[in-house]
Amino acid sequence: MTAPDPDGLLAEQLLRLTRRVHRIQKRHLERRELGITPAQSRLLRTLAHYGSPPRMADLAERLEVVPRAVTTLVDGLEAHGKVRRVPDPANRRVIRIELTDEGRETLRELRAARRAAASEILAPLGEREREQLGELLNTLVDGPPGPPCEEGATQRPGGRDS
């Protein structure tokens, strides 16, 4: 008989929750008929965080994808009028990506869809439970300082791997 693996169970629960969150967010996006994919919505949200239009390479780095993937996403968003390519004023060989008015409106709809999805997912939790979950998620998202542990390594109380 094998011993229970609490970390394995937690990992599986996290993966199941992630898939559920994606499904629910996708459903809320589809209801709003925005005509964009979850990956395109992520690019729009990322684009909104820049003070000035970024280069495609900047977006690829921020999204942690290859530049070709950004090109495909931008092509689709540009075809729907959500973004446009603009020349860099300092170097006309460089192309930057900016939100259009329609893109900003889509971003507002995306935020509303995400809030609705979050409300649906968090419905079973009370206010204090939501606060606790937020604290725990911040801890997990921020992660421990230093490089990630290698597969199979165990952590000693002194902080060194065995």
Side-chain angles (χ1 to χ4, degrees), residues 80-122:
H80 288 94
K82 314 286 187 205
V83 300
R84 69 177 145 252
R85 290 172 165 91
V86 294
D88 184 307
N91 181 349
R92 296 191 64 80
R93 291 176 294 170
V94 174
I95 300 297
R96 295 190 174 268
I97 308 304
E98 71 179 9
L99 280 170
T100 62
D101 289 341
E102 188 174 338
R104 280 186 274 285
E105 178 56 36
T106 299
L107 201 48
R108 282 189 282 279
E109 288 289 325
L110 285 171
R111 288 179 181 136
R114 287 171 62 89
R115 279 192 303 275
S119 180
E120 180 179 334
I121 292 163
L122 298 172

mmCIF file of all heavy atoms in Angstrom, residues 80-122:
data_model
loop_
_atom_site.group_PDB
_atom_site.id
_atom_site.type_symbol
_atom_site.label_atom_id
_atom_site.label_comp_id
_atom_site.label_asym_id
_atom_site.label_seq_id
_atom_site.Cartn_x
_atom_site.Cartn_y
_atom_site.Cartn_z
ATOM 1 N N HIS A 80 -9.368 42.610 -36.208
ATOM 2 C CA HIS A 80 -10.636 42.949 -35.557
ATOM 3 C C HIS A 80 -10.652 44.390 -35.038
ATOM 4 O O HIS A 80 -11.577 44.763 -34.301
ATOM 5 C CB HIS A 80 -10.924 41.973 -34.420
ATOM 6 C CG HIS A 80 -11.307 40.619 -34.904
ATOM 7 N ND1 HIS A 80 -10.403 39.591 -35.060
ATOM 8 C CD2 HIS A 80 -12.513 40.122 -35.303
ATOM 9 C CE1 HIS A 80 -11.019 38.526 -35.519
ATOM 10 N NE2 HIS A 80 -12.304 38.815 -35.686
ATOM 11 N N GLY A 81 -9.632 45.169 -35.376
ATOM 12 C CA GLY A 81 -9.617 46.583 -35.006
ATOM 13 C C GLY A 81 -9.307 46.873 -33.547
ATOM 14 O O GLY A 81 -9.556 47.977 -33.069
ATOM 15 N N LYS A 82 -8.724 45.912 -32.840
ATOM 16 C CA LYS A 82 -8.444 46.090 -31.410
ATOM 17 C C LYS A 82 -7.082 46.749 -31.158
ATOM 18 O O LYS A 82 -6.892 47.422 -30.150
ATOM 19 C CB LYS A 82 -8.469 44.750 -30.668
ATOM 20 C CG LYS A 82 -9.643 43.856 -30.987
ATOM 21 C CD LYS A 82 -10.915 44.326 -30.378
ATOM 22 C CE LYS A 82 -11.994 43.258 -30.605
ATOM 23 N NZ LYS A 82 -13.323 43.799 -30.592
ATOM 24 N N VAL A 83 -6.130 46.510 -32.061
ATOM 25 C CA VAL A 83 -4.797 47.106 -31.948
ATOM 26 C C VAL A 83 -4.367 47.578 -33.331
ATOM 27 O O VAL A 83 -4.969 47.211 -34.342
ATOM 28 C CB VAL A 83 -3.741 46.109 -31.404
ATOM 29 C CG1 VAL A 83 -4.109 45.597 -30.030
ATOM 30 C CG2 VAL A 83 -3.500 44.960 -32.359
ATOM 31 N N ARG A 84 -3.313 48.378 -33.351
ATOM 32 C CA ARG A 84 -2.720 48.761 -34.631
ATOM 33 C C ARG A 84 -1.204 48.822 -34.467
ATOM 34 O O ARG A 84 -0.692 49.080 -33.389
ATOM 35 C CB ARG A 84 -3.287 50.079 -35.138
ATOM 36 C CG ARG A 84 -2.897 51.292 -34.357
ATOM 37 C CD ARG A 84 -3.460 52.588 -34.985
ATOM 38 N NE ARG A 84 -3.806 53.506 -33.909
ATOM 39 C CZ ARG A 84 -5.053 53.812 -33.542
ATOM 40 N NH1 ARG A 84 -6.075 53.303 -34.170
ATOM 41 N NH2 ARG A 84 -5.264 54.637 -32.556
ATOM 42 N N ARG A 85 -0.545 48.572 -35.566
ATOM 43 C CA ARG A 85 0.910 48.689 -35.614
ATOM 44 C C ARG A 85 1.238 50.134 -35.971
ATOM 45 O O ARG A 85 0.643 50.690 -36.882
ATOM 46 C CB ARG A 85 1.481 47.747 -36.667
ATOM 47 C CG ARG A 85 1.398 46.277 -36.313
ATOM 48 C CD ARG A 85 1.826 45.427 -37.522
ATOM 49 N NE ARG A 85 2.096 44.048 -37.175
ATOM 50 C CZ ARG A 85 1.198 43.066 -37.194
ATOM 51 N NH1 ARG A 85 -0.050 43.322 -37.542
ATOM 52 N NH2 ARG A 85 1.542 41.834 -36.873
ATOM 53 N N VAL A 86 2.178 50.709 -35.235
ATOM 54 C CA VAL A 86 2.594 52.088 -35.510
ATOM 55 C C VAL A 86 4.118 52.144 -35.545
ATOM 56 O O VAL A 86 4.788 51.428 -34.795
ATOM 57 C CB VAL A 86 2.047 53.083 -34.458
ATOM 58 C CG1 VAL A 86 0.530 53.173 -34.522
ATOM 59 C CG2 VAL A 86 2.486 52.715 -33.061
ATOM 60 N N PRO A 87 4.677 52.975 -36.428
ATOM 61 C CA PRO A 87 6.137 53.092 -36.457
ATOM 62 C C PRO A 87 6.650 53.813 -35.209
ATOM 63 O O PRO A 87 5.985 54.704 -34.676
ATOM 64 C CB PRO A 87 6.405 53.902 -37.722
ATOM 65 C CG PRO A 87 5.120 54.562 -38.057
ATOM 66 C CD PRO A 87 4.023 53.769 -37.443
ATOM 67 N N ASP A 88 7.807 53.404 -34.763
ATOM 68 C CA ASP A 88 8.473 54.058 -33.636
ATOM 69 C C ASP A 88 8.934 55.433 -34.101
ATOM 70 O O ASP A 88 9.589 55.532 -35.136
ATOM 71 C CB ASP A 88 9.669 53.205 -33.191
ATOM 72 C CG ASP A 88 10.368 53.757 -31.971
ATOM 73 O OD1 ASP A 88 10.735 54.943 -31.976
ATOM 74 O OD2 ASP A 88 10.547 52.988 -31.011
ATOM 75 N N PRO A 89 8.615 56.500 -33.374
ATOM 76 C CA PRO A 89 9.021 57.828 -33.827
ATOM 77 C C PRO A 89 10.538 58.023 -33.889
ATOM 78 O O PRO A 89 11.030 58.804 -34.704
ATOM 79 C CB PRO A 89 8.404 58.778 -32.797
ATOM 80 C CG PRO A 89 7.787 57.953 -31.739
ATOM 81 C CD PRO A 89 7.837 56.524 -32.155
ATOM 82 N N ALA A 90 11.281 57.282 -33.069
ATOM 83 C CA ALA A 90 12.740 57.428 -33.050
ATOM 84 C C ALA A 90 13.434 56.534 -34.072
ATOM 85 O O ALA A 90 14.568 56.810 -34.467
ATOM 86 C CB ALA A 90 13.274 57.125 -31.653
ATOM 87 N N ASN A 91 12.780 55.453 -34.488
ATOM 88 C CA ASN A 91 13.400 54.512 -35.421
ATOM 89 C C ASN A 91 12.278 53.880 -36.242
ATOM 90 O O ASN A 91 11.627 52.940 -35.795
ATOM 91 C CB ASN A 91 14.184 53.438 -34.655
ATOM 92 C CG ASN A 91 14.867 52.452 -35.566
ATOM 93 O OD1 ASN A 91 14.627 52.413 -36.778
ATOM 94 N ND2 ASN A 91 15.728 51.629 -34.982
ATOM 95 N N ARG A 92 12.077 54.354 -37.431
ATOM 96 C CA ARG A 92 10.942 53.939 -38.248
ATOM 97 C C ARG A 92 11.005 52.469 -38.665
ATOM 98 O O ARG A 92 10.038 51.933 -39.175
ATOM 99 C CB ARG A 92 10.796 54.850 -39.465
ATOM 100 C CG ARG A 92 10.471 56.284 -39.017
ATOM 101 C CD ARG A 92 10.069 57.188 -40.126
ATOM 102 N NE ARG A 92 8.849 56.835 -40.818
ATOM 103 C CZ ARG A 92 7.611 57.081 -40.402
ATOM 104 N NH1 ARG A 92 7.427 57.669 -39.243
ATOM 105 N NH2 ARG A 92 6.573 56.753 -41.138
ATOM 106 N N ARG A 93 12.140 51.812 -38.450
ATOM 107 C CA ARG A 93 12.224 50.375 -38.741
ATOM 108 C C ARG A 93 11.578 49.549 -37.636
ATOM 109 O O ARG A 93 11.272 48.388 -37.822
ATOM 110 C CB ARG A 93 13.682 49.944 -38.909
ATOM 111 C CG ARG A 93 14.325 50.515 -40.175
ATOM 112 C CD ARG A 93 15.765 50.139 -40.242
ATOM 113 N NE ARG A 93 16.441 50.818 -39.119
ATOM 114 C CZ ARG A 93 17.667 50.595 -38.722
ATOM 115 N NH1 ARG A 93 18.406 49.714 -39.338
ATOM 116 N NH2 ARG A 93 18.188 51.254 -37.713
ATOM 117 N N VAL A 94 11.381 50.165 -36.464
ATOM 118 C CA VAL A 94 10.793 49.475 -35.319
ATOM 119 C C VAL A 94 9.280 49.706 -35.329
ATOM 120 O O VAL A 94 8.819 50.824 -35.511
ATOM 121 C CB VAL A 94 11.399 49.994 -33.996
ATOM 122 C CG1 VAL A 94 10.687 49.390 -32.797
ATOM 123 C CG2 VAL A 94 12.892 49.705 -33.949
ATOM 124 N N ILE A 95 8.545 48.628 -35.138
ATOM 125 C CA ILE A 95 7.086 48.709 -35.094
ATOM 126 C C ILE A 95 6.628 48.539 -33.647
ATOM 127 O O ILE A 95 7.109 47.663 -32.931
ATOM 128 C CB ILE A 95 6.443 47.609 -35.980
ATOM 129 C CG1 ILE A 95 6.883 47.771 -37.428
ATOM 130 C CG2 ILE A 95 4.924 47.613 -35.852
ATOM 131 C CD1 ILE A 95 6.442 49.068 -38.069
ATOM 132 N N ARG A 96 5.708 49.377 -33.255
ATOM 133 C CA ARG A 96 5.130 49.309 -31.911
ATOM 134 C C ARG A 96 3.648 48.961 -32.031
ATOM 135 O O ARG A 96 3.048 49.156 -33.080
ATOM 136 C CB ARG A 96 5.336 50.624 -31.176
ATOM 137 C CG ARG A 96 6.827 50.882 -30.947
ATOM 138 C CD ARG A 96 7.078 52.050 -30.027
ATOM 139 N NE ARG A 96 8.492 52.163 -29.737
ATOM 140 C CZ ARG A 96 9.094 51.599 -28.694
ATOM 141 N NH1 ARG A 96 8.399 50.887 -27.833
ATOM 142 N NH2 ARG A 96 10.385 51.758 -28.496
ATOM 143 N N ILE A 97 3.088 48.460 -30.953
ATOM 144 C CA ILE A 97 1.691 48.024 -30.951
ATOM 145 C C ILE A 97 0.912 48.901 -29.972
ATOM 146 O O ILE A 97 1.306 49.044 -28.813
ATOM 147 C CB ILE A 97 1.570 46.542 -30.521
ATOM 148 C CG1 ILE A 97 2.497 45.654 -31.343
ATOM 149 C CG2 ILE A 97 0.124 46.071 -30.604
ATOM 150 C CD1 ILE A 97 2.293 45.739 -32.834
ATOM 151 N N GLU A 98 -0.182 49.487 -30.461
ATOM 152 C CA GLU A 98 -0.996 50.301 -29.572
ATOM 153 C C GLU A 98 -2.457 49.867 -29.621
ATOM 154 O O GLU A 98 -2.932 49.357 -30.633
ATOM 155 C CB GLU A 98 -0.855 51.794 -29.888
ATOM 156 C CG GLU A 98 -1.479 52.244 -31.156
ATOM 157 C CD GLU A 98 -1.321 53.750 -31.388
ATOM 158 O OE1 GLU A 98 -0.588 54.429 -30.654
ATOM 159 O OE2 GLU A 98 -1.950 54.232 -32.342
ATOM 160 N N LEU A 99 -3.138 50.093 -28.510
ATOM 161 C CA LEU A 99 -4.569 49.814 -28.417
ATOM 162 C C LEU A 99 -5.343 50.846 -29.226
ATOM 163 O O LEU A 99 -4.986 52.015 -29.246
ATOM 164 C CB LEU A 99 -5.035 49.922 -26.964
ATOM 165 C CG LEU A 99 -4.769 48.747 -26.047
ATOM 166 C CD1 LEU A 99 -5.072 49.127 -24.603
ATOM 167 C CD2 LEU A 99 -5.576 47.543 -26.454
ATOM 168 N N THR A 100 -6.401 50.419 -29.868
ATOM 169 C CA THR A 100 -7.326 51.337 -30.529
ATOM 170 C C THR A 100 -8.447 51.647 -29.531
ATOM 171 O O THR A 100 -8.525 51.035 -28.461
ATOM 172 C CB THR A 100 -7.937 50.686 -31.785
ATOM 173 O OG1 THR A 100 -8.675 49.535 -31.364
ATOM 174 C CG2 THR A 100 -6.866 50.292 -32.793
ATOM 175 N N ASP A 101 -9.326 52.562 -29.895
ATOM 176 C CA ASP A 101 -10.484 52.831 -29.040
ATOM 177 C C ASP A 101 -11.316 51.565 -28.859
ATOM 178 O O ASP A 101 -11.787 51.272 -27.761
ATOM 179 C CB ASP A 101 -11.342 53.955 -29.636
ATOM 180 C CG ASP A 101 -10.661 55.312 -29.523
ATOM 181 O OD1 ASP A 101 -9.725 55.457 -28.692
ATOM 182 O OD2 ASP A 101 -11.053 56.228 -30.269
ATOM 183 N N GLU A 102 -11.480 50.818 -29.937
ATOM 184 C CA GLU A 102 -12.224 49.558 -29.856
ATOM 185 C C GLU A 102 -11.513 48.566 -28.939
ATOM 186 O O GLU A 102 -12.149 47.818 -28.188
ATOM 187 C CB GLU A 102 -12.415 48.951 -31.248
ATOM 188 C CG GLU A 102 -13.337 47.757 -31.234
ATOM 189 C CD GLU A 102 -13.658 47.232 -32.629
ATOM 190 O OE1 GLU A 102 -13.535 47.986 -33.611
ATOM 191 O OE2 GLU A 102 -14.042 46.055 -32.711
ATOM 192 N N GLY A 103 -10.187 48.574 -28.979
ATOM 193 C CA GLY A 103 -9.409 47.712 -28.096
ATOM 194 C C GLY A 103 -9.596 48.079 -26.637
ATOM 195 O O GLY A 103 -9.706 47.214 -25.771
ATOM 196 N N ARG A 104 -9.652 49.390 -26.341
ATOM 197 C CA ARG A 104 -9.883 49.839 -24.968
ATOM 198 C C ARG A 104 -11.286 49.440 -24.484
ATOM 199 O O ARG A 104 -11.462 49.043 -23.337
ATOM 200 C CB ARG A 104 -9.667 51.348 -24.849
ATOM 201 C CG ARG A 104 -8.188 51.726 -24.740
ATOM 202 C CD ARG A 104 -8.013 53.209 -24.485
ATOM 203 N NE ARG A 104 -8.014 53.978 -25.717
ATOM 204 C CZ ARG A 104 -7.010 54.030 -26.579
ATOM 205 N NH1 ARG A 104 -5.901 53.355 -26.342
ATOM 206 N NH2 ARG A 104 -7.085 54.752 -27.676
ATOM 207 N N GLU A 105 -12.267 49.540 -25.377
ATOM 208 C CA GLU A 105 -13.630 49.113 -25.020
ATOM 209 C C GLU A 105 -13.659 47.603 -24.772
ATOM 210 O O GLU A 105 -14.293 47.130 -23.824
ATOM 211 C CB GLU A 105 -14.625 49.490 -26.120
ATOM 212 C CG GLU A 105 -16.046 49.051 -25.844
ATOM 213 C CD GLU A 105 -16.613 49.567 -24.528
ATOM 214 O OE1 GLU A 105 -16.303 50.702 -24.120
ATOM 215 O OE2 GLU A 105 -17.382 48.815 -23.891
ATOM 216 N N THR A 106 -12.964 46.847 -25.601
ATOM 217 C CA THR A 106 -12.878 45.395 -25.415
ATOM 218 C C THR A 106 -12.217 45.077 -24.083
ATOM 219 O O THR A 106 -12.644 44.162 -23.373
ATOM 220 C CB THR A 106 -12.107 44.751 -26.579
ATOM 221 O OG1 THR A 106 -12.812 45.008 -27.787
ATOM 222 C CG2 THR A 106 -11.930 43.258 -26.388
ATOM 223 N N LEU A 107 -11.206 45.838 -23.735
ATOM 224 C CA LEU A 107 -10.516 45.641 -22.462
ATOM 225 C C LEU A 107 -11.472 45.871 -21.287
ATOM 226 O O LEU A 107 -11.457 45.115 -20.311
ATOM 227 C CB LEU A 107 -9.324 46.593 -22.381
ATOM 228 C CG LEU A 107 -8.200 46.277 -21.442
ATOM 229 C CD1 LEU A 107 -7.717 44.853 -21.555
ATOM 230 C CD2 LEU A 107 -7.065 47.246 -21.667
ATOM 231 N N ARG A 108 -12.327 46.864 -21.370
ATOM 232 C CA ARG A 108 -13.330 47.098 -20.322
ATOM 233 C C ARG A 108 -14.272 45.891 -20.219
ATOM 234 O O ARG A 108 -14.617 45.450 -19.119
ATOM 235 C CB ARG A 108 -14.116 48.377 -20.598
ATOM 236 C CG ARG A 108 -13.356 49.643 -20.243
ATOM 237 C CD ARG A 108 -14.232 50.886 -20.316
ATOM 238 N NE ARG A 108 -14.440 51.343 -21.681
ATOM 239 C CZ ARG A 108 -13.582 52.068 -22.390
ATOM 240 N NH1 ARG A 108 -12.421 52.418 -21.857
ATOM 241 N NH2 ARG A 108 -13.858 52.437 -23.620
ATOM 242 N N GLU A 109 -14.681 45.369 -21.369
ATOM 243 C CA GLU A 109 -15.555 44.186 -21.378
ATOM 244 C C GLU A 109 -14.826 42.967 -20.806
ATOM 245 O O GLU A 109 -15.419 42.159 -20.095
ATOM 246 C CB GLU A 109 -16.035 43.895 -22.799
ATOM 247 C CG GLU A 109 -17.052 44.877 -23.309
ATOM 248 C CD GLU A 109 -18.394 44.715 -22.633
ATOM 249 O OE1 GLU A 109 -18.796 43.580 -22.308
ATOM 250 O OE2 GLU A 109 -19.051 45.753 -22.415
ATOM 251 N N LEU A 110 -13.541 42.841 -21.124
ATOM 252 C CA LEU A 110 -12.743 41.732 -20.597
ATOM 253 C C LEU A 110 -12.677 41.793 -19.080
ATOM 254 O O LEU A 110 -12.825 40.775 -18.400
ATOM 255 C CB LEU A 110 -11.320 41.774 -21.151
ATOM 256 C CG LEU A 110 -11.121 41.330 -22.583
ATOM 257 C CD1 LEU A 110 -9.706 41.647 -23.047
ATOM 258 C CD2 LEU A 110 -11.397 39.852 -22.715
ATOM 259 N N ARG A 111 -12.448 42.984 -18.568
ATOM 260 C CA ARG A 111 -12.365 43.140 -17.110
ATOM 261 C C ARG A 111 -13.693 42.762 -16.461
ATOM 262 O O ARG A 111 -13.710 42.105 -15.412
ATOM 263 C CB ARG A 111 -11.954 44.564 -16.763
ATOM 264 C CG ARG A 111 -10.503 44.829 -17.086
ATOM 265 C CD ARG A 111 -10.092 46.246 -16.756
ATOM 266 N NE ARG A 111 -8.702 46.451 -17.107
ATOM 267 C CZ ARG A 111 -8.237 47.527 -17.725
ATOM 268 N NH1 ARG A 111 -9.053 48.511 -18.051
ATOM 269 N NH2 ARG A 111 -6.956 47.635 -18.010
ATOM 270 N N ALA A 112 -14.792 43.173 -17.074
ATOM 271 C CA ALA A 112 -16.112 42.816 -16.540
ATOM 272 C C ALA A 112 -16.319 41.304 -16.590
ATOM 273 O O ALA A 112 -16.850 40.711 -15.638
ATOM 274 C CB ALA A 112 -17.202 43.546 -17.318
ATOM 275 N N ALA A 113 -15.893 40.669 -17.665
ATOM 276 C CA ALA A 113 -16.023 39.212 -17.792
ATOM 277 C C ALA A 113 -15.172 38.503 -16.747
ATOM 278 O O ALA A 113 -15.611 37.513 -16.143
ATOM 279 C CB ALA A 113 -15.626 38.760 -19.203
ATOM 280 N N ARG A 114 -13.974 39.002 -16.511
ATOM 281 C CA ARG A 114 -13.099 38.394 -15.503
ATOM 282 C C ARG A 114 -13.681 38.547 -14.107
ATOM 283 O O ARG A 114 -13.620 37.629 -13.289
ATOM 284 C CB ARG A 114 -11.698 38.982 -15.578
ATOM 285 C CG ARG A 114 -10.919 38.512 -16.800
ATOM 286 C CD ARG A 114 -9.620 39.264 -16.980
ATOM 287 N NE ARG A 114 -8.703 39.082 -15.888
ATOM 288 C CZ ARG A 114 -7.803 38.099 -15.809
ATOM 289 N NH1 ARG A 114 -7.723 37.216 -16.764
ATOM 290 N NH2 ARG A 114 -7.001 38.022 -14.785
ATOM 291 N N ARG A 115 -14.253 39.719 -13.820
ATOM 292 C CA ARG A 115 -14.885 39.928 -12.511
ATOM 293 C C ARG A 115 -16.067 38.971 -12.338
ATOM 294 O O ARG A 115 -16.259 38.396 -11.262
ATOM 295 C CB ARG A 115 -15.329 41.380 -12.348
ATOM 296 C CG ARG A 115 -14.201 42.322 -11.948
ATOM 297 C CD ARG A 115 -14.719 43.677 -11.516
ATOM 298 N NE ARG A 115 -15.524 44.344 -12.521
ATOM 299 C CZ ARG A 115 -15.055 45.085 -13.520
ATOM 300 N NH1 ARG A 115 -13.765 45.255 -13.650
ATOM 301 N NH2 ARG A 115 -15.868 45.661 -14.375
ATOM 302 N N ALA A 116 -16.864 38.798 -13.384
ATOM 303 C CA ALA A 116 -18.012 37.887 -13.318
ATOM 304 C C ALA A 116 -17.541 36.452 -13.100
ATOM 305 O O ALA A 116 -18.126 35.707 -12.303
ATOM 306 C CB ALA A 116 -18.850 37.989 -14.588
ATOM 307 N N ALA A 117 -16.474 36.064 -13.801
ATOM 308 C CA ALA A 117 -15.933 34.712 -13.634
ATOM 309 C C ALA A 117 -15.397 34.526 -12.223
ATOM 310 O O ALA A 117 -15.644 33.494 -11.580
ATOM 311 C CB ALA A 117 -14.841 34.451 -14.672
ATOM 312 N N ALA A 118 -14.674 35.513 -11.713
ATOM 313 C CA ALA A 118 -14.131 35.423 -10.357
ATOM 314 C C ALA A 118 -15.257 35.332 -9.336
ATOM 315 O O ALA A 118 -15.180 34.551 -8.381
ATOM 316 C CB ALA A 118 -13.237 36.632 -10.059
ATOM 317 N N SER A 119 -16.301 36.102 -9.544
ATOM 318 C CA SER A 119 -17.447 36.065 -8.639
ATOM 319 C C SER A 119 -18.071 34.671 -8.616
ATOM 320 O O SER A 119 -18.415 34.146 -7.558
ATOM 321 C CB SER A 119 -18.471 37.112 -9.078
ATOM 322 O OG SER A 119 -19.570 37.088 -8.232
ATOM 323 N N GLU A 120 -18.191 34.055 -9.789
ATOM 324 C CA GLU A 120 -18.746 32.706 -9.881
ATOM 325 C C GLU A 120 -17.853 31.693 -9.167
ATOM 326 O O GLU A 120 -18.329 30.843 -8.412
ATOM 327 C CB GLU A 120 -18.915 32.318 -11.344
ATOM 328 C CG GLU A 120 -19.488 30.939 -11.557
ATOM 329 C CD GLU A 120 -19.662 30.573 -13.030
ATOM 330 O OE1 GLU A 120 -19.813 31.483 -13.867
ATOM 331 O OE2 GLU A 120 -19.646 29.371 -13.323
ATOM 332 N N ILE A 121 -16.561 31.790 -9.393
ATOM 333 C CA ILE A 121 -15.616 30.838 -8.801
ATOM 334 C C ILE A 121 -15.555 30.996 -7.286
ATOM 335 O O ILE A 121 -15.494 30.020 -6.540
ATOM 336 C CB ILE A 121 -14.215 31.027 -9.429
ATOM 337 C CG1 ILE A 121 -14.255 30.584 -10.889
ATOM 338 C CG2 ILE A 121 -13.144 30.270 -8.650
ATOM 339 C CD1 ILE A 121 -13.092 31.083 -11.712
ATOM 340 N N LEU A 122 -15.573 32.240 -6.811
ATOM 341 C CA LEU A 122 -15.406 32.510 -5.387
ATOM 342 C C LEU A 122 -16.708 32.484 -4.597
ATOM 343 O O LEU A 122 -16.697 32.648 -3.372
ATOM 344 C CB LEU A 122 -14.721 33.869 -5.202
ATOM 345 C CG LEU A 122 -13.307 33.973 -5.787
ATOM 346 C CD1 LEU A 122 -12.811 35.404 -5.709
ATOM 347 C CD2 LEU A 122 -12.364 33.015 -5.088
#
